[in-house]
Each structure stands twice: as structure tokens, then as C-alpha cells.
Amino acid sequence: MPNRITRDDILFSVKSFMAAMLALYLAFRLGLPRPFWSLISAYVVSQPFSGATRSKAVYRVAGTVVGAVMTMLVVPRFVGYPILLSIIFSVWIGVCLYVSLLDRTPRAYAFMLAGYSPVLADVSVFSEAALFEASLARVEEIVLGIVCSALVHSVILPRGVDRTVLERLDQALKDIRLWVQEILSEVPANRTMKLHRLSQTVSELRT
């Protein structure tokens, strides 16, 4: 049976839409070259919980800025050596991805963003000024979308994680109580299913 759409789901969808439209409007008003980046970023960082949205916003900004700085440091120096430039960025992306997989905290998102955020310009018409403008515009567009998302989700009916955690704890205690009762009563039951649901609940709490 499919899960029903709850009031929290509708509220999250509405707030995400508001943040995306606000980011798109401001991007057009500011005359940014690719306003859709602001809209996409607003949706990408949106999370059901306001705290998670702010956390993801901070790490996405950090990763985007590091990626842009990496572009400005590497591309002007190796633009005439495309093979070497490809190898450098391949190693950079691999290292960032490797570190992000090792770091099992929200901070890993910053490493992942730093890996695929570098901006590559058309080398046939390359100039440092054009590269700088492209990198700056990308950072501005992404940061604008991130700020709009964090602002909307934090100001308009913010949702904390406390209620969800308590609901998961209650469910885990209920499953444990039923499991222990079935073991003590020696009544045949599908204990594997209950154990699976309990492990899933604990994993969700840890996440």
C-alpha cells in the first residue's frame, strides 16, 4: 500500500517551490547569466528538516567556492596542455570523491561538491577574464539559490527533527517489546521481519 501524502509533505513541497521561485526571481533581477542554476540549487539543498537544510547549504557553498578556486588556479596554467589538464581534474575529482566516501558526516557533501564544481570554459576562446566571470557567476547563482532555500525553510514554519526522532524511538521500543514477548512466550512468529524493521528504524535514527 503506497504511503499517503501527509501535511508535512505538502508543506515541504510548497516551501521548496517558494524558495526556488524566489531564487529565480532574484537571479533575473540581478541579471545573472544562468538563472536556472539558482532554481536548481534551491531545490537541491531543500530538506524536510530546517536544520538539515542549513547544514547542507553551508557545505554546498563551501564546496562550490573551493571548486571555483580550483578552476582559477589550474586552468590558466595548463590550458595549453589538455591531456595534463584532464589528468589533473580526474585526480582532483577522484580524491574529493574518495574523501567524501570516507567521511560519513554531513561534511562529506562539501568534498563531493568541491570535486564536481570546477567550471571549464571553452578553451578555443580562453581568457582568464572570461573564466573568472564564468566562475564568479556560477558561485553567485548557486549561493543565491542556497540562501533562498535556507531562508524560506528556516523562517516559514520551520520543522525540527525532534518529533520524528521521538516517533522512531517509540516504534523501536514497541518492536523490541513485541519481539521479547514472542521469544518468552515461544509463540511462532515472523521474527525476521520484526528484526529487519527494527534495524531499519535504528539506521534512520543514526542518519
Side-chain angles (χ1 to χ4, degrees), residues 58-75:
V58 170
Y59 290 123
R60 186 174 180 86
V61 169
T64 301
V65 171
V66 171
V69 171
M70 177 66 177
T71 300
M72 294 304 303
L73 291 176
V74 174
V75 174

Side-chain angles (χ1 to χ4, degrees), residues 96-171:
C96 290
L97 181 59
Y98 176 73
V99 175
S100 70
L101 293 175
L102 288 180
D103 189 347
R104 307 307 299 174
T105 67
R107 185 176 57 240
Y109 192 57
F111 294 104
M112 185 175 64
L113 261 293
Y116 70 76
S117 287
V119 181
L120 297 180
D122 184 0
V123 296
S124 63
V125 292
F126 173 79
S127 70
E128 290 193 23
L131 180 64
F132 178 77
E133 290 178 1
S135 301
L136 180 61
R138 179 180 172 88
V139 172
E140 289 174 341
E141 290 152 1
I142 291 177
V143 170
L144 178 61
I146 291 170
V147 170
C148 289
S149 181
L151 183 65
V152 169
H153 285 281
S154 299
V155 173
I156 301 177
L157 299 175
R159 182 185 175 191
V161 74
D162 50 353
R163 189 183 69 182
T164 301
V165 169
L166 291 176
E167 290 176 353
R168 295 293 190 277
L169 284 174
D170 290 339
Q171 182 62 48

Side-chain angles (χ1 to χ4, degrees), residues 75-97:
V75 174
R77 290 169 175 78
F78 299 97
V79 67
Y81 309 93
I83 296 178
L84 181 58
L85 183 62
S86 300
I87 293 174
I88 291 173
F89 274 111
S90 297
V91 173
W92 170 256
I93 294 171
V95 170
C96 290
L97 181 59

